[in-house]
Amino acid sequence: DGIRDLVRSRGLGDVYKRQAKVYICSRDFKVCQQIAKELNDLVQQRKTGPKGQCIAIEEPIDLSQASLKPIHRLKEIFAQKESKLDVLVNNSGIMWAGSLESYSEKGWDRVFTVNVKSIFFLVQQFLPYLEAAAKKTASNGEKIPATIINVGSVYGNSLSGFPTFAYDSSKAAVHHLTKKLSPFLAPKNITINAIAPGVIPTKMGQSIESSGISLAEWKQSIPIQRHGCEQDMAGVALLLSSKAGSWITGAVIPVDGGYLTARVSKF
């Protein structure tokens, strides 16, 4: 009867292309509308096979607010449309840079609210819908798990020279929270994993150039001599949300062109 996915934010929303009904949301509703249209137009071009659908949540969801109201509102909207959720992708993230001497409390709190707090409470609030989806069984009688995918960062696993104190710390927290939640969710037949992307020329990734380091320079520190792209992230997301990834949980998977393991970066 189809797969329901909820992709929080826009970075993976435009690459999460699969046979599914995909809901996307972010604080920028117009961007969500645009991505939904692009995905639906792309699907319609397929001449054979089942066709998925992308639906933009019809109002902005700003997870930087200190209260849980945006999460409760998102839950209300989703509940009006669906009774279960097969895949939850937590991809919202913000970055804040500043010197050690002047780094602001506002920046720190905002980063941790979006990058960490919202993940925990989205999992909490959408747990009944994930549990409902986790009751499905395959033709052989095997249970099909529901899936949560969190998006961390290579900087949650390593130290960078950038003064992004809250961002790097928050991504380490995302990785640890993913592991912490896994034994609580596994008995409910829900898997939870994190993808740790390297540098990708998204809107956030391109902000690195403001530090005086070009993306071309950055590429030289990646053993596989290219930046990451949409398909790299989508491939891992599809693995984790498919039967092939149903026995993987509590994992943090770097998708970084060898950046972490090579340890050759000067940045």
Side-chain angles (χ1 to χ4, degrees), residues 12 15 22 31 61 70 72 94 104 176 188 214 221 240 267:
L12 280 182
V15 301
V22 180
V31 170
I61 303 295
H72 291 154
I94 61 172
S104 75
H176 194 77
K188 302 177 185 295
S214 70
S221 69
L240 294 174
F267 302 128

Side-chain angles (χ1 to χ4, degrees), residues 166-186:
Y167 177 81
D168 297 23
S169 301
S170 73
K171 290 303 182 178
V174 169
H175 297 174
H176 194 77
L177 179 60
T178 300
K179 297 173 185 178
K180 180 70 176 180
L181 286 171
S182 62
F184 292 88
L185 295 169

Side-chain angles (χ1 to χ4, degrees), residues 75-218:
K75 180 181 175 182
E76 289 174 2
I77 295 171
F78 185 81
Q80 293 170 5
K81 304 175 183 295
E82 304 290 348
S83 60
K84 60 183 179 179
L85 177 63
D86 297 276
V87 184
L88 172 64
V89 180
N90 290 311
N91 183 50
S92 283
I94 61 172
M95 184 183 292
W96 192 290
S99 70
L100 175 60
E101 294 79 9
S102 64
Y103 203 92
S104 75
E105 180 182 12
K106 175 183 177 182
W108 183 277
D109 290 346
R110 183 178 171 86
V111 168
F112 266 81
T113 295
V114 174
N115 295 7
V116 185
K117 177 182 175 181
S118 69
I119 288 180
F120 178 82
F121 286 102
L122 277 161
V123 171
Q124 179 195 72
Q125 292 300 306
F126 279 88
L127 188 57
Y129 302 93
L130 290 160
E131 288 181 297
K135 294 178 181 179
K136 293 192 305 184
T137 56
S139 56
N140 62 359
E142 185 177 329
K143 287 185 177 181
I144 302 172
T147 302
I148 300 166
I149 300 173
N150 298 327
V151 178
S153 169
V154 290
Y155 291 136
N157 292 341
S158 66
L159 299 176
S160 78
F162 301 115
T164 48
F165 303 105
Y167 177 81
D168 297 23
S169 301
S170 73
K171 290 303 182 178
V174 169
H175 297 174
H176 194 77
L177 179 60
T178 300
K179 297 173 185 178
K180 180 70 176 180
L181 286 171
S182 62
F184 292 88
L185 295 169
K188 302 177 185 295
N189 197 34
I190 300 170
T191 64
I192 181 168
N193 297 285
I195 300 172
V199 175
I200 301 171
T202 60
K203 184 177 180 181
M204 182 182 291
Q206 289 170 343
S207 68
I208 287 174
E209 294 192 322
S210 65
S211 68
I213 301 170
S214 70
L215 288 174
E217 288 180 276
W218 192 275

Side-chain angles (χ1 to χ4, degrees), residues 198-267:
V199 175
I200 301 171
T202 60
K203 184 177 180 181
M204 182 182 291
Q206 289 170 343
S207 68
I208 287 174
E209 294 192 322
S210 65
S211 68
I213 301 170
S214 70
L215 288 174
E217 288 180 276
W218 192 275
K219 185 169 67 175
Q220 296 174 12
S221 69
I222 302 173
I224 297 178
Q225 289 283 295
R226 67 173 177 85
H227 297 118
C229 65
E230 297 173 348
Q231 288 79 9
D232 297 321
M233 301 304 110
V236 179
L238 288 171
L239 165 68
L240 294 174
S241 57
S242 71
K243 177 65 172 69
S246 62
W247 211 49
I248 302 172
T249 194
V252 178
I253 303 175
V255 187
D256 62 357
Y259 174 86
L260 278 179
T261 54
R263 302 291 183 181
V264 297
S265 174
K266 63 182 179 181
F267 302 128

Side-chain angles (χ1 to χ4, degrees), residues 37-48 51:
K37 182 180 185 306
E38 291 174 359
L39 278 174
N40 289 327
D41 288 346
L42 182 64
V43 167
Q44 292 305 315
Q45 294 172 14
R46 294 175 58 183
K47 295 181 180 180
T48 60
K51 296 181 178 180

